[in-house]
Amino acid sequence: MSDQHDPAPYDALLLLSFGGPEGPDDVVPFLENVTRGRGIPRERLREVGQHYFLFGGVSPINGQNRALLDALRDDFAAAGLRLPVYWGNRNWAPYLTDTLREMVHDGRRHIAVLTTSAYASYSGCRQYRENLADALAALEAEGLPVPRVDKLRHYFNHPGFLEPVVEGVLASLAELD
């Protein structure tokens, strides 16, 4: 394998996302996870949850993440990159701590973390770092080896992300009267 396809020092990639309900029974518990510690009444969560019921109680994010996982795995395989890809969420299954525990059991010790949030903000950046720190502390409390995790940079301004957005906007503008 050439150096171009050598993932060293990483032995795994973790796709880290927000998570979302997968059915009507998941909506309020999911919203409780999202708002934990904020004292939002359950009645208000039920009201907000009505938005999810317009879509059968299913958020599209998990399906999008599954498609992204498949694409990453296919791209890695086509490039000869032998790097396993895992998925963990902040607010719904598969939960971040559970996924990191699985990774440790699989022998993963140096993990690159790609968040699905492209933008730098508290909820799109620092909160993910805090969630990672909490999950790693939980593993340590369980007596498990704590892997090194490196959160990859945001990509809102990366040409590979930005150029298709610009092209899409220009194509849409060209269709306007």
Side-chain angles (χ1 to χ4, degrees):
M1 185 183 306
S2 72
D3 287 339
Q4 181 180 358
H5 302 297
D6 183 2
Y10 300 106
D11 57 13
L13 175 70
L14 170 61
L15 181 67
L16 177 55
S17 194
F18 191 79
E22 305 242 40
D25 293 340
D26 297 344
V27 172
V28 172
F30 163 73
L31 292 172
E32 288 172 334
N33 286 343
V34 171
T35 62
R36 68 182 156 266
R38 295 189 184 111
I40 297 174
R42 192 171 177 88
E43 305 78 53
R44 178 64 183 134
L45 297 179
R46 284 192 195 104
E47 287 175 35
V48 171
Q50 293 305 311
H51 299 288
Y52 284 99
F53 292 121
L54 296 173
F55 305 98
V58 177
S59 167
I61 195 169
N62 287 344
Q64 293 166 344
N65 283 330
R66 287 183 185 98
L68 179 55
L69 285 167
D70 289 342
L72 285 168
R73 289 172 177 146
D74 289 348
D75 285 352
F76 285 6
L81 183 64
R82 297 181 51 152
L83 190 69
V85 182
Y86 295 78
W87 171 35
N89 287 321
R90 178 160 70 200
N91 297 297
W92 202 248
Y95 289 104
L96 172 59
T97 302
D98 296 336
T99 300
L100 282 171
R101 186 180 300 112
E102 175 188 359
M103 294 174 85
V104 166
H105 286 300
D106 289 350
R108 309 301 171 203
R109 298 296 180 263
H110 196 171
I111 301 164
V113 179
L114 174 65
T115 63
T116 58
S117 177
Y119 302 96
S121 65
Y122 170 72
S123 63
C125 183
R126 193 170 80 219
Q127 192 170 12
Y128 280 108
R129 287 195 319 264
E130 291 169 359
N131 297 140
L132 282 163
D134 291 345
L136 294 171
L139 297 182
E140 184 175 35
E142 294 172 16
L144 294 172
V146 177
R148 177 174 171 177
V149 297
D150 294 330
K151 186 178 165 293
L152 302 176
R153 73 181 282 282
H154 285 284
Y155 45 92
F156 68 92
N157 60 353
H158 188 282
F161 180 79
L162 199 53
E163 288 170 8
V165 172
V166 170
E167 290 168 8
V169 170
L170 292 175
S172 295
L173 287 173
E175 293 177 13
L176 293 176
D177 293 334

